[in-house]
Amino acid sequence: MSAHEHPKAIGGVLLDPLMKKLLAVFGVAAVVMIYRFAVGIGPVSMMTDGFTWGIWEPVNVVVFTGIGAGAFAVGLLCYALNKGEYHGLVRPAVLTGAIAYTLGASSILIALGRPWNAYWLPWIPYWNLSSALLEVAVCVMAYVIVLWIEVIPSALDAAEVAKDSKWQAFGKKWKPKMAKAMPFFIAAAIVLPTMHQSSLGGLMLIAGPKIHPLWHNGLLPTLFLISCLSMGYGTVVVLTNILGMTWKAKVDQKLFASLSKVNGGLLFVYAALRIGELFIGKYTIGVNGQDVLVSKLSFLGFNFPTIWFLFEMSLFLVPAFMFMSEKVASNRGQLFLAAFMAVMAGAFYRVDTYLTFYRPVGWQPNGKPWEAGWQYFPSLGESIVTIGMAAVGIAIFVVVSRLFPVVVVEDRAHSNVGSGAAAAHR
């Protein structure tokens, strides 16, 4: 994508059949949310004293923000490493990030135990300054604001060419001012996710033996940071290819091949760190009332954690090798598949660390958790809210892209999404 290629508003019918379906799905989720606030979280969620969070945190927050890390990942290449050829990918990545992070932050508020006390949140003297979760919350909320500020240039571009002279004047006045301020927001957009993505891993250090030894280690902050970058690059490739099939977005195969080699390197680093830690790592278990230090390799065996660990690692290593293949690099479908696997690898790793292999009183060497009397499986209400959040996220992306110049397109006059020919909205 060359520097002279500029994003364009897709145009088209806003309330098309796709949009109606997405809004209908979110409408069902909204009813569940209203019910949750009316009767409390107990009747909606399967959370207990043993499992104090359900899928809303691991999926809606930890996975969604990983998917939204494309803004962070592409921003590093574009601005920190001065790789201007990736500039055409910035706006779709930023919009995806803004939506994903907003949904994650909203999910935290939905899960908040006593939402009527939320007005105390801005009162700093009440903050627990020693909490890792506080750092995550503050950074995420600040990053949401920064991401939406980064979306503003798209709106100003649209205003500058609007038919209304007042909007034109508004766009021409504020666009240069916004351009001068953007370097500061870009810097914040690199620092903030570096902090909170690593802290999402650091947060689970506190869980200690409650997380299976194959997932718990001192490298959690580093592994979470690497996995978010990998998910971000993978999401950009997946998203742009989907937009290419639906809105004729510009798909530069050579550029994606170059981007994917960076992703492949990240995946290899991730795998090396995690497997290396498994060989040198130690774990404390109780034997006859005494703590005994054993190798983490002793937890490998014919059991569910080991089988799932191997499956998860294959999701990291298979796309890593694919990204380094020239045959894959020249094949759009195979590169899309590898990128999708990279996104799924990060998603599985995050959910597994936060939920799948978390048990209230820890794990036995035979791969079975110690009995504690608590069980968790997502309720129907929790699942509906998660699906509804994803649906409204897609809807927001469609609306913004139709109205404002976000996507670099080859031919705006053709769109396979929705109904009717695209007509630019101003």
Side-chain angles (χ1 to χ4, degrees):
M1 296 184 182
S2 60
H4 66 273
E5 292 174 324
H6 298 290
K8 299 177 181 178
I10 300 300
V13 180
L14 290 181
L15 200 61
D16 59 20
L18 172 64
M19 183 64 64
K20 291 177 182 177
K21 292 174 183 177
L22 292 171
L23 294 178
V25 172
F26 178 69
V28 176
V31 172
V32 176
M33 294 178 206
I34 293 171
Y35 180 71
R36 173 263 179 273
F37 285 115
V39 302
I41 200 168
V44 175
S45 170
M46 293 296 290
M47 291 187 291
T48 63
D49 289 342
F51 291 89
T52 53
W53 53 39
I55 59 170
W56 289 342
E57 282 77 10
V59 177
N60 298 22
V61 179
V62 186
V63 173
F64 281 7
T65 59
I67 292 173
F72 170 43
V74 175
L76 277 175
L77 285 179
C78 234
Y79 302 115
L81 300 180
N82 200 29
K83 301 292 184 179
E85 64 266 30
Y86 295 103
H87 194 268
L89 304 174
V90 170
R91 285 192 177 181
V94 167
L95 178 58
T96 302
I99 294 169
Y101 268 85
T102 300
L103 296 178
S106 301
S107 297
I108 294 175
L109 295 177
I110 295 170
L112 199 63
R114 297 177 179 177
W116 54 86
N117 286 333
Y119 66 90
W120 285 110
L121 291 178
W123 186 240
I124 295 178
Y126 274 20
W127 289 6
N128 180 3
L129 298 179
S130 62
S131 170
L133 190 57
L134 172 68
E135 190 272 339
V136 172
V138 172
C139 278
V140 167
M141 297 298 180
Y143 191 46
V144 168
I145 297 172
V146 169
L147 283 169
W148 283 111
I149 290 174
E150 289 188 295
V151 174
I152 291 177
S154 299
L156 293 176
D157 283 350
E160 195 176 26
V161 295
K163 294 180 179 179
D164 191 315
S165 59
K166 292 182 179 180
W167 280 115
Q168 287 184 14
F170 180 84
K172 291 177 180 179
K173 176 183 178 181
W174 287 100
K175 185 177 177 180
K177 295 181 179 181
M178 194 68 199
K180 291 181 180 179
M182 283 308 294
F184 299 98
F185 293 111
I186 290 171
I190 292 175
V191 173
L192 289 172
T194 302
M195 293 170 63
H196 69 248
Q197 286 292 344
S198 58
S199 293
L200 284 172
L203 178 65
M204 297 312 290
L205 288 172
I206 304 170
K210 294 182 179 181
I211 301 177
H212 193 278
L214 298 182
W215 278 265
H216 187 274
N217 56 64
L219 294 175
L220 276 169
T222 302
L223 294 175
F224 264 68
L225 183 59
I226 295 173
S227 69
C228 98
L229 289 170
S230 175
M231 289 180 73
Y233 289 132
T235 298
V236 168
V237 174
V238 170
L239 174 65
T240 308
N241 273 280
I242 292 175
L243 295 178
M245 292 183 286
T246 54
W247 286 339
K248 302 298 182 183
K250 181 72 174 179
V251 178
D252 190 328
Q253 188 68 18
K254 291 184 178 180
L255 185 67
F256 287 155
S258 175
L259 180 72
S260 296
K261 280 186 168 51
V262 176
N263 200 354
L266 288 170
L267 292 171
F268 278 125
V269 170
Y270 171 93
L273 289 174
R274 192 162 176 204
I275 294 173
E277 195 282 334
L278 184 62
F279 275 88
I280 65 175
K282 302 293 182 180
Y283 190 79
T284 302
I285 62 172
V287 178
N288 297 324
Q290 294 184 343
D291 289 340
V292 178
L293 204 62
V294 299
S295 170
K296 286 191 175 182
L297 293 175
S298 63
F299 285 83
L300 294 174
F302 190 69
N303 52 53
F304 174 67
T306 300
I307 294 172
W308 198 256
F309 172 80
L310 295 174
F311 167 72
E312 188 184 288
M313 289 305 302
S314 70
L315 283 177
F316 281 95
L317 286 171
V318 170
F321 283 105
M322 290 178 70
F323 286 143
M324 298 303 173
S325 166
E326 294 300 327
K327 181 180 178 181
V328 173
S330 61
N331 186 297
R332 183 173 168 182
Q334 291 184 22
L335 197 63
F336 175 91
L337 176 61
F340 180 76
M341 289 179 66
V343 175
M344 295 306 297
F348 272 113
Y349 171 60
R350 286 160 175 255
V351 172
D352 291 342
T353 303
Y354 267 73
L355 188 60
T356 311
F357 292 98
Y358 173 92
R359 291 298 182 273
V361 292
W363 294 81
Q364 304 177 52
N366 62 6
K368 295 182 179 180
W370 294 105
E371 292 296 329
W374 288 299
Q375 300 294 331
Y376 173 80
F377 190 82
S379 69
L380 179 61
E382 288 174 295
S383 302
I384 289 174
V385 169
T386 296
I387 296 171
M389 286 288 197
V392 77
I394 297 172
I396 295 171
F397 187 93
V398 170
V399 169
V400 175
S401 298
R402 285 197 183 282
L403 295 177
F404 305 114
V406 173
V407 181
V408 175
V409 295
E410 293 180 343
D411 182 4
R412 188 178 57 188
H414 296 88
S415 173
N416 298 326
V417 174
S419 59
H425 282 265
R426 298 297 184 193

